[in-house]
Amino acid sequence: MAGEVDAAPARGRGDRVERLAGLVRSAQSVVALTGAGISVPSGIPDFRSPGTGLWEGVNPMEVAHIDAFRTDPARFWSFYGQRFTSLRDKQPNGAHRALVDLERRGPLDGVITQNIDQLHRAAGTAELIEVHGSIATSSCLGCGARHELEEVRRRLEADGRYPPCDCGAPLKPDVVLFGEMLPDEAMERATRLASEADLLLCVGSSLEVYPVAGLPELTLGGGGRIAIVTQGPTPFDRDAEVKLAGDVVAELEAVVAAV
Ligand code: ZN
């Protein structure tokens, strides 16, 4: 996949890894910002990439939209239930674990993620901000009751249409659907961390979806630096001190080993 990058002179890549490790060592506060790319090696496709199975034949903007949930919760769940099932057995990979390692050793203050798959949590990240929510719980838009993932799965299976709340209304996964606002509290924490970071380590995110895409600007505005570990271009490639574009697991493991 990263053939061209790997084909580059080994010394060039090694220099970039060492440069990034040096930035981590010298920073008082490192914050990671992660997107779909970090979970791809765990077998979770990035639905923005074409032809990635799970979302094939459906338009996520339509089926995973809050209006679709409100108008036809059964249709929404016929799609979203598959997503729940497909995430069931997924495990964190070396990139998730490298960030845990960096946090336990001190330099990393927190992980801001756009992912809803819970893999940072499963890997053991302590300071985690899930700005798009997660599948851990689902809530009732009517009475506000909240239920855990396993209970939601049980109710979905028993009902066959959608997981009903005790009040009878359909539960909605606590993920940010298209057409919904990002949770205020999570965005406030993310904003504060990004503003105060000496180094924002952007991993596996195309940095194109606002408001998360605004976080690197906050770090730069606060006098901090950004580094990018992502395959494919981002709007911040020119602002980054270092960009690593190879396999996300190999790149992060190399950097953390060199810190
Ligand atoms: Zn309810």
Side-chain angles (χ1 to χ4, degrees), residues 5 14 28 40 45 74 77-78 80 85 89 92 126 128 149 151 162 170 195 198 203 229 255 258:
V5 174
Q28 294 294 312
V40 169
W77 274 104
S78 74
Y80 220 87
T85 307
D89 302 317
L128 179 63
L149 178 58
E151 176 65 13
Y162 51 72
S195 307
D198 295 321
V203 183
V229 183
V255 169

Side-chain angles (χ1 to χ4, degrees), residues 140 142-145 165-169:
C140 176
C143 73
C165 179
D166 294 338
C167 76

